[in-house]
Amino acid sequence: SDVCSSDLIKVDGGWRATVDIDQRLMLLDTIFVQAEDRGLRTKVEFIELKGTDAETGGSITQRLEPCQGKSRSFCKPRPGTEGDG
């Protein structure tokens, strides 16, 4: 499924980026982008989001890959298709 939304919220006197994934709010810590240089164009192979579950405080890692047939959209990989990263 697609990442639903992102926002900024105030947490402990500072601002944090958030991402809503599978109806869970993640406080975003890091974003990693794996891309392949193709000369004039760069192909993004996947994006990895790491953060904290806003409700439970647990760690969350979510990998997103380009959606099939959707330009500039990223989706969670189909089960069994994630690489070793």
Side-chain angles (χ1 to χ4, degrees), residues 67-83:
C67 298
Q68 294 282 337
K70 294 184 182 178
S71 177
R72 298 182 182 179
S73 294
F74 289 84
C75 300
K76 293 190 322 183
R78 294 183 313 271
T81 61
E82 287 190 45

Side-chain angles (χ1 to χ4, degrees), residues 2 5-6 13 16 21 23-25 31 36 44 51 60 66 85:
D2 295 333
S5 64
S6 61
R16 297 284 306 267
I21 297 178
Q23 292 133 16
R24 292 180 4 194
L25 186 65
I31 300 172
E36 180 183 329
V44 175
I60 301 174

Side-chain angles (χ1 to χ4, degrees), residues 9 17-18 22 30 34 38 41 45 48 50 53 71 83 85:
I9 63 171
T18 65
D22 292 335
T30 63
Q34 178 68 44
R38 292 186 170 183
R41 296 186 62 146
E45 295 181 14
E48 187 174 84
K50 289 187 179 185
D53 187 310
S71 177

Side-chain angles (χ1 to χ4, degrees), residues 32-38 42-47:
F32 175 81
V33 178
Q34 178 68 44
E36 180 183 329
D37 182 10
R38 292 186 170 183
T42 299
K43 178 185 177 199
V44 175
E45 295 181 14
F46 67 88
I47 298 171

Side-chain angles (χ1 to χ4, degrees), residues 1 3 5 13 20-21 34-36 40-41 48-51 55 59 62 64-65 69 71-72 74 80 84:
S1 67
V3 173
S5 64
D20 179 19
I21 297 178
Q34 178 68 44
E36 180 183 329
L40 297 176
R41 296 186 62 146
E48 187 174 84
L49 307 172
K50 289 187 179 185
E55 187 175 320
S59 294
Q62 182 64 64
L64 304 172
E65 296 178 349
S71 177
R72 298 182 182 179
F74 289 84
D84 295 336

Side-chain angles (χ1 to χ4, degrees), residues 1-15:
S1 67
D2 295 333
V3 173
C4 297
S5 64
S6 61
D7 207 352
L8 289 174
I9 63 171
K10 197 163 194 169
V11 177
D12 297 328
W15 292 94

